[in-house]
Amino acid sequence: LGSGGVCHYTHQLAEALNRAGTQVVVLTTDQYELKEFPKEYEVYAPLGRRSQLKSRFLWMKSRFLGKAKPFPKRSDSADFTPGIPASKAKKPSFLGWIRTWIIRLEIAIYQLIKRPDVIHFQWLNEPRAEYQFMRFLKALGFRLIYTAHNLLPHEVHREAARRLYHRIYQLADRIIVHAEQNKREMIESFDLDPSKVSVIRHGSFDLFFKKEGISKEAARRELKLSDDKKVILFFGLIRRYKGLEYLVQAFEHVRQHLDTALLLIVGKIHQGDREGFTYYSELISSLAGRDDVNCVTRYVPIENVASYFIASDVIVLPYTKTYQSGILLSAYAAGRPVVVTDTGGLAEIVEDGKSGIVVPPANPEALAEAILTVLRDPGRTRAMGEHARHLAQTLYGWDGVALKTIEVYRSLCASVPEGEWRIARS
């Protein structure tokens, strides 16, 4: 991906791998968000740029084929908010498929020229086509590693996705996950050899805070927030599994007991899920005009992220189902305590009562009590934030993450001399 959490993760890991002596090339889109960001690794975006190809193929499509019809609606209510049906998915066009494979063929030729020791996939934007591409690369003799940030994609037809990802996980030479719970679930769900799956912690997102830090007061002035408010932050792309509605419910209870509380909701609403988009748009609209809720429903550029975290007192992740979260590691890097739900690997990252509080998912009452526990005692809020920052700088530092990652590479490439690694990251 060219922007967002996985993009930021890849950048920080590539920088750390480079410091550790590897030669890293990041393969990405021409719309790469960090194009102008200082970096030591090499970046390669295909010459057959997607934006250029798209304009040509859209013309050909309209001229000869007309519009593609969408697939029928599919749903799996177990993962969805009650009352919100699944979204429709559009069938990829034949010309779109050709366009995608032109880009992949160019990447394959580039790989053959560079001949990296390892190809490390960080994300599958189009999983079915990416699986075929991975098979192609395996046939060419490349070693493949896949980081499963999510074991399964959110908000998809679960059984169909499970079958596809089972093939992907069988194909990969090694798989990296971010928590022991993720590894257990992966082994049980996909019948994998445990030795194939490595647990490497998610590093702290300190890239947002690299520049000379601003004070909490300055951040609040920038965002037009009052100094006397207790700010509760929800940050990131708004979609079903993140449980924003439970935080909104919890906030009503918080307000009854703490009249200085302010809920700050920052993030673009996910547009790939039509019904979910409508639901959360209406939820956000229902909060408009309140003086105790601020909503910023747009993607926040990387240079502006720090202000929202620094201006806040506590960051809340009310997720109903997840595996790990860069938002949590961003909160740690900012030195802010967190309130998270016990889902995926979140509870493994949060030292309950020291860096944050863990509560059951889909439980607004428990969420509210945890938020109040953090906010009622300024001394405790400060101590928890300091401990969170300490964890970000030590246990979740990127140099340690890079060394663990290199161990996985070495398990596949024992014959490669140390210091001569060539890693392609997609």
Side-chain angles (χ1 to χ4, degrees):
L1 291 180
S3 63
V6 175
C7 168
H8 304 154
Y9 177 96
T10 302
H11 165 78
Q12 295 208 256
L13 179 56
E15 285 283 275
L17 287 170
N18 187 77
R19 289 194 298 271
T22 63
Q23 181 183 345
V24 182
V25 179
V26 172
L27 305 178
T28 184
T29 170
D30 60 309
Q31 302 298 321
Y32 187 45
E33 180 185 26
L34 304 177
K35 189 179 297 184
E36 305 302 324
F37 214 70
K39 62 183 74 66
E40 297 298 326
Y41 57 87
E42 181 182 343
V43 175
Y44 177 75
L47 296 175
R49 288 173 48 176
R50 189 173 293 265
S51 55
Q52 293 177 346
L53 288 169
K54 183 176 182 180
S55 62
R56 289 167 172 77
F57 278 117
L58 283 178
W59 179 85
M60 293 174 65
K61 177 181 173 182
S62 62
R63 178 71 176 79
F64 299 109
L65 298 181
K67 294 182 178 180
K69 296 181 180 180
F71 274 140
K73 187 184 297 183
R74 300 185 301 186
S75 67
D76 184 346
S77 59
D79 260 10
F80 294 163
T81 302
I84 309 179
S87 63
K88 294 182 179 179
K90 288 187 176 180
K91 183 178 181 179
S93 69
F94 176 69
L95 288 177
W97 180 86
I98 293 176
R99 172 173 58 83
T100 299
W101 270 96
I102 288 174
I103 294 172
R104 292 195 177 105
L105 182 59
E106 180 185 343
I107 292 172
I109 294 171
Y110 178 83
Q111 303 280 27
L112 286 169
I113 294 171
K114 283 283 187 177
R115 204 66 202 181
D117 300 300
V118 171
I119 298 177
H120 189 162
F121 283 82
Q122 289 291 336
W123 193 256
L124 304 180
N125 206 33
E126 299 170 327
R128 198 169 299 278
E130 300 285 5
Y131 166 65
Q132 297 299 333
F133 184 52
M134 291 172 77
R135 290 183 63 188
F136 180 55
L137 292 174
K138 284 278 284 190
L140 294 176
F142 290 109
R143 305 174 183 92
L144 306 184
I145 295 176
Y146 177 58
T147 293
H149 296 283
N150 297 325
L151 272 60
L152 287 171
H154 297 287
E155 297 146 6
V156 296
H157 187 277
R158 304 294 286 184
E159 285 309 311
R162 189 178 299 278
R163 290 192 295 272
L164 174 60
Y165 274 81
H166 181 264
R167 294 196 293 271
I168 291 169
Y169 294 147
Q170 294 291 336
L171 183 65
D173 294 293
R174 294 287 188 277
I175 300 164
I176 293 172
V177 295
H178 297 311
E180 293 293 341
Q181 189 277 341
N182 297 165
K183 179 175 181 176
R184 289 192 297 270
E185 183 176 339
M186 173 167 278
I187 292 168
E188 293 170 4
S189 299
F190 299 101
D191 191 28
L192 297 177
D193 180 350
S195 65
K196 186 175 182 175
V197 185
S198 299
V199 178
I200 300 179
R201 295 185 180 95
H202 193 305
S204 69
F205 271 0
D206 55 4
L207 81 164
F208 302 129
F209 313 98
K210 290 289 188 183
K211 296 180 181 179
E212 185 176 345
I214 59 173
S215 66
K216 186 175 184 179
E217 293 73 22
R220 290 197 172 190
R221 284 196 300 272
E222 178 186 330
L223 301 176
K224 297 180 173 57
L225 301 175
S226 174
D227 286 339
D228 65 349
K229 295 293 185 181
K230 298 290 187 181
V231 179
I232 304 160
L233 176 64
F234 174 97
F235 191 94
L237 187 65
I238 299 171
R239 52 195 304 181
R240 302 180 194 234
Y241 75 90
K242 293 190 176 180
L244 175 60
E245 61 271 31
Y246 297 109
L247 176 56
V248 171
Q249 295 171 39
F251 182 69
E252 299 304 330
H253 177 76
V254 170
R255 273 299 264 131
Q256 293 173 13
H257 296 81
L258 189 64
D259 58 9
T260 57
L262 183 143
L263 178 59
L264 180 57
I265 300 171
V266 182
K268 184 178 179 180
I269 303 173
H270 179 50
Q271 294 182 323
D273 171 6
R274 187 185 305 169
E275 289 78 15
F277 179 82
T278 300
Y279 177 86
Y280 288 108
S281 296
E282 291 175 353
L283 178 63
I284 295 295
S285 295
S286 72
L287 302 171
R290 291 178 55 163
D291 60 5
D292 58 354
V293 180
N294 282 12
C295 298
V296 182
T297 52
R298 63 175 181 271
Y299 182 79
V300 178
I302 193 168
E303 63 269 16
N304 301 131
V305 170
S307 297
Y308 290 99
F309 283 85
I310 297 299
S312 302
D313 293 289
V314 61
I315 286 77
V316 182
L317 287 71
Y319 299 173
T320 57
K321 173 64 176 176
T322 195
Y323 299 100
Q324 196 46 267
S325 172
I327 303 302
L328 169 53
L329 277 305
S330 300
Y332 274 20
R336 294 296 180 266
V338 295
V339 173
V340 307
T341 51
D342 188 4
T343 180
L346 300 187
E348 292 181 35
I349 304 300
V350 177
E351 295 185 11
D352 201 12
K354 295 181 67 177
S355 63
I357 298 178
V358 181
V359 300
N363 189 326
E365 294 79 14
L367 202 60
E369 288 302 322
I371 294 169
L372 286 169
T373 298
V374 174
L375 294 182
R376 278 173 171 160
D377 184 348
R380 182 174 187 178
T381 304
R382 185 166 49 253
M384 293 174 82
E386 289 173 355
H387 187 61
R389 182 182 287 111
H390 170 73
L391 292 176
Q393 295 170 346
T394 54
L395 193 58
Y396 302 105
W398 283 99
D399 288 337
V401 172
L403 291 177
K404 291 286 187 183
T405 305
I406 290 172
E407 287 179 13
V408 176
Y409 297 159
R410 187 170 289 120
S411 71
L412 288 179
C413 310
S415 62
V416 179
E418 191 171 349
E420 296 184 11
W421 294 93
R422 299 182 302 279
I423 312 298
R425 305 180 62 79
S426 176

